[in-house]
Amino acid sequence: MSKQQTLGSFFSSA
Amino acid sequence: MLEGKFDEASLLKKVIDAMKDSVKLCNFNCTENGISVQAIDDSRVLLISLLIEAGSFEDYRCDRNIVLGLEMESLNKIIKNGNASDMLTLVAEDSPDALNLIFEDKRRDRIAEYSLKLMDIDQDFLKIEDMKFDAVVNMPSAEFAKICRDMKTLSESLQIIITKDSVKFNSEGDFGSGSVVIKSFTDLEKTEESVRITLEKPINLTFGAKYLNDIIKSTPLASQVTIKLCDKQPALFEYQLPSGYLRFYLAPKFED
């Protein structure tokens, strides 16, 4: 089952 | 002081219309180069990056950097009061409490002026490095919008599969499934109808249909959309403005 990823897993907070 | 005059209110109307259902509060950062926004939706799946360069305005000046914290629904209410063909001027002082919006009818002497209260918005900012993409698709934005709408009737997920010279949009639902395949195509007379696929590696990615159907609210902004994809990375959907862009970064779905 595919899971919706969030952007926090790919981009870091500035 | 900020003073930005659009020849037509339609550009900002379309931009706000494209953003307002995804993000509620936005900081509009005004500099001498133009106005930019980065905003993330509540579920942190979709990021909007807007740049309206000074060149998109008829006249533009911004002496000092100003942040305008705006509630999108309120801004939209005011923006809707102006006619698309009106000239629209945005005015804000250096440390503003409000954004003034002035709509001027070009044919008649009618001037409508609104003031929108600003908010202090504490927004976190994501650093987006230069991303590398394995596939880039340029296609008519209206066609992309129709595919996203049609496929959403079947499933809450939309799979995008790219091989050599075709893009397949695939939807597997409870009651049935559907797919649309589009191929590279060059229309020399109507270049906006063309489909261009640049591929380094084949792509098979799945996205939430709900988010794609928010992104396609940008369709009136540009005749073409650019879709940039990389395996297991957020996709980039870009609509060009006369000078600037509206971009959406969308996190994919995959098995952990």
Side-chain angles (χ1 to χ4, degrees):
Chain A
M1 188 63 187
S2 67
K3 186 182 157 213
Q4 177 64 63
Q5 308 294 313
T6 56
L7 292 166
S9 319
F10 306 99
F11 303 130
S12 57
S13 292
Chain B
M1 186 173 176
L2 165 75
E3 205 172 312
K5 184 182 207 171
F6 291 104
D7 182 46
E8 289 205 331
S10 61
L11 178 70
L12 194 63
K13 271 176 168 288
K14 288 174 192 170
V15 166
I16 303 307
D17 215 36
M19 295 170 67
K20 69 174 173 37
D21 295 330
S22 302
V23 287
K24 296 186 185 78
L25 302 169
C26 292
N27 280 326
F28 282 63
N29 301 294
C30 310
T31 71
E32 59 177 354
N33 301 319
I35 299 178
S36 65
V37 175
Q38 191 200 84
I40 307 162
D41 87 305
D42 286 343
S43 61
R44 305 188 65 77
V45 169
L46 183 67
L47 181 146
I48 296 178
S49 175
L50 167 70
L51 175 63
I52 308 175
E53 288 178 322
S56 286
F57 294 83
E58 180 86 2
D59 291 310
Y60 183 85
R61 65 174 265 234
C62 183
D63 317 317
R64 284 166 136 198
N65 293 358
I66 301 172
V67 179
L68 305 171
L70 297 172
E71 210 260 316
M72 297 300 279
E73 199 49 57
S74 310
L75 175 59
N76 190 49
K77 282 178 188 164
I78 289 179
I79 286 270
K80 277 167 80 176
N81 292 345
N83 294 317
S85 60
D86 286 350
M87 284 191 287
L88 167 60
T89 309
L90 308 177
V91 181
E93 302 296 329
D94 278 344
S95 301
D97 305 318
L99 169 67
N100 295 314
L101 300 99
I102 303 152
F103 296 93
E104 291 174 76
D105 191 312
K106 285 175 194 153
R107 286 173 305 164
R108 291 177 290 162
D109 276 342
R110 186 174 63 80
I111 298 175
E113 191 166 346
Y114 296 88
S115 170
L116 175 61
K117 285 181 192 162
L118 300 180
M119 302 177 72
D120 267 331
I121 301 169
D122 189 17
Q123 237 168 13
D124 61 350
F125 195 85
L126 293 181
K127 211 163 39 183
I128 298 166
E129 310 286 348
D130 272 343
M131 295 170 71
K132 194 188 159 298
F133 295 102
D134 291 331
V136 178
V137 179
N138 294 283
M139 65 181 288
S141 58
E143 183 158 7
F144 177 62
K146 175 165 168 53
I147 291 168
C148 290
R149 279 195 301 268
D150 292 352
M151 294 292 108
K152 189 172 179 280
T153 61
L154 292 160
S155 166
E156 59 187 36
S157 293
L158 176 63
Q159 195 183 8
I160 302 179
I161 302 161
I162 310 180
T163 50
K164 223 171 65 185
D165 64 347
S166 73
V167 186
K168 183 178 184 182
F169 297 90
N170 194 45
S171 188
E172 307 273 343
D174 293 335
F175 67 87
S177 63
S179 68
V180 178
V181 175
I182 58 164
K183 296 193 169 179
S184 293
F185 163 75
T186 307
D187 190 323
L188 291 173
E189 281 180 15
K190 290 186 193 164
T191 49
E192 69 274 15
E193 294 291 318
S194 298
V195 175
R196 196 170 78 227
I197 301 165
T198 314
L199 185 70
E200 282 187 27
K201 276 185 202 162
I203 290 288
N204 186 341
L205 282 166
T206 302
F207 298 98
K210 159 185 159 359
Y211 299 102
L212 291 167
N213 276 266
D214 281 336
I215 291 171
I216 59 170
K217 287 168 187 162
S218 304
T219 306
L221 276 170
S223 57
Q224 285 253 319
V225 58
T226 303
I227 306 168
K228 298 183 178 184
L229 302 157
C230 185
D231 189 35
K232 294 197 169 175
Q233 292 290 324
L236 170 56
F237 300 85
E238 180 172 309
Y239 295 82
Q240 288 288 334
L241 305 185
S243 180
Y245 53 75
L246 182 59
R247 290 178 179 159
F248 296 86
Y249 293 86
L250 176 60
K253 288 179 160 188
F254 54 77
E255 285 174 45
D256 285 327

